[in-house]
Amino acid sequence: MSDSERLKALLYSAEPPTPEQRRRFERFIELHYKERCYFVWIRDMNTVDGFRLEVGSDVYDWSSRGILKQLTDKLRSVRPAEGQEVIPLLKQAVDEFEPQPYPEEIGTVITVGDGVAAVRGINRASYGEILIFEGGVRGMVQNISKGELGCVLFDGDDSVSAGSRVHRTGRAAGVPVGESFIGRVTDALGVPIDGKGEILPSGYLPVESPAPSIAARQPVNKPLKTGLLCIDSMFPIGRGQRELIIGDRQTGKTAIAVDTILNQKDSGVICIYVAIGQKASSVRRLVGTLEEHGAMDYTIVMLASASDSAPMQYIAPYAGCAMAEYFMNQGKDVLIIYDDLSKHAVAYRSLSLVLGRSPGREAYPGDVFYLHSRLLERSAHLSAAHGGGSMTALPIVETLAGNVSAYIPTNIISITDGQIFLDSALFRSGQRPAVNVGLSVSRVGGDAMTPCLKAAAGSLRLELAQYREMKVFTQFSNYLDDEMQKNLRFGETLMGILKQEQYRPYEEWKQVFILTAAIEGLLEGFVGDRFGDKLDRLCRKFGESRPDIVERIESGAKLSERDAADIAEFARAAGNV
Ligand code: ATP
Ligand code: MG
């Protein structure tokens, strides 16, 4: 066997090993690798107090630095149980510490560019594992082929070059999680970016984790109120549901998400807003709005902005989901917003193309469906045995010219439990939120609707459908009889009550009051003004004069016939003034 075919062992130290030490190293290698090696000593002034041995891609570090690293790792892995003191555990870890000759796998960068590095020499890394490059740059294994790894870099590739060394960490990509993140703004890996100092995490969770099984789930049966009349009355969302918000650019998609967050005040729901590929300045504004309305007290914002690398944008929603899982697994209710998944798919496409994967439809890689299904499947309403927590997801998708049959929109429509479709023509005409009632659905939320609201909303969708039909019909006729004009006016009033200003969520009693009165045809004089102030004043007056009805509605009881009649009576009297 020639030297080049034999296992190569490199020994680094400041002083040459004594013959006895050399024999001991050779014996160690024979014992571990079951073959004789070709042994080379290299003078290394950085390894003054000990030895570093490299066998193939394995590295054994017997220098004081290596031993210190082992000790640090051991101390870091100490996890006290609930109520246990940490100091004695640390003492025990130090007492029991014995440096072990365990290999650290080290590879070499072959090529690097566009935020992706090809690495050779690491044979045991797994998909999704974090690698550390020279200069502390973190990367994640995304492609595994024979003898070579494709790795995406999180921190830019400036300090990485061909020939750089790469360490394995043995850990899958993860994010720090914990209560202390509430009220903070972080990047996609949980590092604070709001200038409010360090965050002390309670734990560390992998960004990718399997979705809860069927047995661990229970049906969606509790409402998650958005405070928006047009959604709560016709497309109710339940806790644990995934409801897509879809529409062209600038149609109020983010506005719906923000209003929903604002409405979670005092409901105990923790909100997580994941911004993907957006301008940092617009997210800054959004955080300002949330702060202004006191919503940051229960909200976490995670940002991978348009200027962040594609890997950061790719990982952001999974990281947000891991954060949400932390709370869900404690039995809490969480609302998570992915704004938006079209940009996420685009980031994944650029990443895949640079990794050399073959492009499919619209140049997206073949697994782009799985990209979003494995993310959205992690939303759930857990069974009581699993703590009963829930994760409600509101993914947002941007369409081009209202085309819902494009690749990414159809994929996500098929994964979610319904969609709120926002129409740019409605938005322009001033009907805001611009929900297209005909194209929107909510497949599971109806079960979670409170009986009171269900009864009040009764025939609303049907009435609106009739109105739309009649409107089309009357466009071609110039004679309208009284009956038709009355029906048109009624339809317009219904559309009018659905208009709602931003940041003004309605309580349930308000929704029930408006719906009951509107379906009776009593609100004609109260809609149509720009900010909905007339309707708002009417509601306030009703709230003041009938607190008993308000209380009964808020307690979740069914609306009695008596109360419905009183509401109608009140609206009629107000309209006649
Ligand atoms: P983008 O595609 O840029 O993300 P978007 O679909 O998220 O846009 P928003 O940013 O939510 O849309 O809203 C666009 C504009 O419409 C904003 O200026 C917002 O203030 C306004 N707007 C949204 N909803 C309403 C509403 N209900 N009433 C009045 N104005 C609204
Ligand atoms: Mg938006």
Side-chain angles (χ1 to χ4, degrees):
M1 198 188 274
S2 74
D3 277 358
S4 63
E5 287 165 12
R6 272 163 64 185
L7 189 64
K8 191 167 161 188
L10 304 176
L11 184 69
Y12 294 85
S13 62
E15 295 299 323
T18 61
E20 169 56 22
Q21 281 171 331
R22 203 185 159 109
R23 256 198 310 284
R24 283 218 322 258
F25 282 123
E26 279 169 346
R27 255 207 321 276
F28 172 79
I29 295 164
E30 259 186 65
L31 205 74
H32 278 74
Y33 293 90
K34 310 276 181 271
E35 58 179 300
R36 286 182 68 79
C37 68
Y38 152 66
F39 200 85
V40 182
W41 171 72
I42 298 169
R43 186 183 292 275
D44 176 18
M45 294 318 284
N46 287 327
T47 319
V48 215
D49 44 2
F51 293 97
R52 251 171 79 83
L53 178 68
E54 291 188 10
V55 188
S57 63
D58 295 345
V59 176
Y60 300 87
D61 200 339
W62 282 288
S63 68
S64 57
R65 222 171 50 198
I67 292 171
L68 199 63
K69 185 173 173 299
Q70 277 191 28
L71 180 64
T72 322
D73 287 348
K74 182 156 182 166
L75 292 182
R76 278 220 178 104
S77 66
V78 169
R79 293 259 177 280
E82 193 83 18
Q84 201 176 8
E85 283 278 335
V86 71
I87 307 280
L89 284 180
L90 289 177
K91 271 194 185 138
Q92 185 189 354
V94 173
D95 288 343
E96 286 172 2
F97 176 68
E98 192 133 334
Q100 295 294 326
Y102 66 79
E104 188 186 0
E105 258 192 286
I106 292 210
T108 324
V109 174
I110 306 295
T111 57
V112 60
D114 301 317
V116 167
V119 174
R120 226 174 250 165
I122 293 185
N123 303 326
R124 289 189 287 265
S126 53
Y127 176 83
E129 182 172 330
I130 291 291
L131 303 182
I132 305 281
F133 291 73
E134 238 166 273
V137 173
R138 292 157 304 169
M140 182 168 65
V141 178
Q142 280 288 296
N143 260 7
I144 299 180
S145 48
K146 199 156 181 243
E148 194 172 307
L149 298 176
C151 189
V152 296
L153 304 177
F154 287 123
D155 313 296
D157 53 20
D158 299 341
S159 61
V160 181
S161 55
S164 298
R165 289 153 75 83
V166 190
H167 294 254
R168 265 190 77 181
T169 59
R171 280 205 303 193
V175 274
V177 293
E179 276 77 12
S180 44
F181 282 87
I182 296 176
R184 302 296 301 268
V185 184
T186 75
D187 73 0
L189 291 172
V191 179
I193 50 171
D194 51 4
K196 292 188 187 160
E198 232 184 286
I199 303 176
L200 251 170
S202 323
Y204 193 83
L205 285 181
V207 292
E208 300 266 7
S209 76
S213 67
I214 296 178
R217 294 173 187 249
Q218 62 171 311
V220 169
N221 53 22
K222 261 197 290 180
L224 185 117
K225 294 176 191 154
T226 62
L228 294 165
L229 183 62
C230 56
I231 296 180
D232 288 348
S233 62
M234 290 178 286
F235 316 106
I237 301 172
R239 296 190 182 181
Q241 186 176 343
R242 303 152 299 172
E243 183 81 5
L244 172 65
I245 300 173
I246 184 168
D248 281 3
R249 55 177 297 277
Q250 290 289 304
T251 48
K253 303 183 296 297
T254 306
I256 288 189
V258 171
D259 280 338
T260 309
I261 294 181
L262 297 189
N263 198 45
Q264 302 316 309
K265 200 169 193 158
D266 306 322
S267 71
V269 176
I270 294 166
C271 302
I272 300 176
Y273 178 84
V274 186
I276 310 151
Q278 296 190 44
K279 279 187 296 201
S281 61
S282 29
V283 177
R284 174 63 249 175
R285 220 169 316 127
L286 182 140
V287 173
T289 308
L290 294 179
E291 269 167 357
E292 211 175 287
H293 290 86
M296 278 311 275
D297 297 348
Y298 52 87
T299 304
I300 303 170
V301 175
M302 293 180 92
L303 165 68
S305 75
S307 61
D308 280 325
S309 62
M312 283 297 242
Q313 294 186 39
Y314 158 68
I315 208 167
Y318 300 102
C321 194
M323 186 78 80
E325 273 165 354
Y326 170 77
F327 295 109
M328 173 172 76
N329 291 335
Q330 288 178 355
K332 294 184 181 152
D333 293 313
V334 192
L335 166 71
I336 184 160
I337 289 147
Y338 306 110
D339 194 359
D340 64 65
L341 290 187
S342 334
K343 298 205 182 71
H344 180 237
V346 169
Y348 186 59
R349 173 170 66 186
S350 53
L351 198 130
S352 304
L353 290 175
V354 193
L355 280 167
R357 295 188 189 148
S358 42
R361 184 173 156 192
E362 290 179 27
Y364 288 104
D367 64 342
V368 75
F369 184 86
Y370 179 53
L371 174 78
H372 291 139
S373 63
R374 74 174 192 270
L375 172 71
L376 294 168
E377 269 300 298
R378 285 161 73 180
S379 300
H381 184 196
L382 294 181
S383 64
H386 286 80
S390 73
M391 189 200 307
T392 313
L394 293 182
I396 294 179
V397 161
E398 186 181 300
T399 51
L400 270 177
N403 181 12
V404 282
S405 56
Y407 192 25
I408 301 298
T410 40
N411 275 351
I412 302 182
I413 285 174
S414 68
I415 300 166
T416 47
D417 309 306
Q419 73 272 356
I420 310 272
F421 182 73
L422 300 177
D423 196 319
S424 52
L426 282 178
F427 189 83
R428 277 196 305 274
S429 72
Q431 177 70 39
R432 302 177 186 179
V435 175
N436 181 322
V437 178
L439 287 180
S440 304
V441 282
S442 172
R443 293 193 192 96
V444 292
D447 301 342
M449 212 171 176
T450 54
C452 195
L453 195 58
K454 205 173 204 166
S459 58
L460 182 60
R461 279 187 80 166
L462 207 66
E463 304 277 6
L464 285 173
Q466 275 169 3
Y467 164 67
R468 278 197 307 277
E469 238 170 60
M470 194 185 311
K471 205 169 156 203
V472 173
F473 175 69
T474 53
Q475 272 175 349
F476 302 106
S477 108
N478 45 18
Y479 173 73
L480 297 177
D481 62 22
D482 287 351
E483 181 68 20
M484 267 177 153
Q485 284 187 16
K486 195 171 141 241
N487 285 344
L488 269 181
R489 279 205 310 275
F490 176 58
E492 267 152 31
T493 309
L494 291 185
M495 289 299 278
I497 59 162
L498 298 182
K499 285 186 195 170
Q500 200 170 334
E501 264 303 296
Q502 261 184 299
Y503 320 134
R504 265 202 214 169
Y506 291 165
E507 292 99 329
E508 181 157 345
W509 68 265
K510 224 174 191 178
Q511 297 183 337
V512 172
F513 169 74
I514 294 174
L515 288 170
T516 312
I519 289 179
E520 290 286 326
L522 300 167
L523 291 186
E524 204 178 304
F526 294 96
V527 296
D529 57 330
R530 178 128 186 262
F531 297 110
D533 284 337
K534 275 194 213 160
L535 193 59
D536 201 46
R537 269 199 301 276
L538 178 72
C539 291
R540 254 206 320 265
K541 252 198 270 165
F542 175 75
E544 280 158 15
S545 71
R546 293 307 300 269
D548 54 321
I549 299 186
V550 169
E551 202 174 304
R552 276 198 289 280
I553 296 175
E554 288 292 317
S555 71
K558 213 165 168 217
L559 191 70
S560 64
E561 267 172 40
R562 182 75 226 255
D563 286 347
D566 282 1
I567 289 177
E569 189 49 46
F570 182 89
R572 194 170 289 121
N576 289 337
V577 174

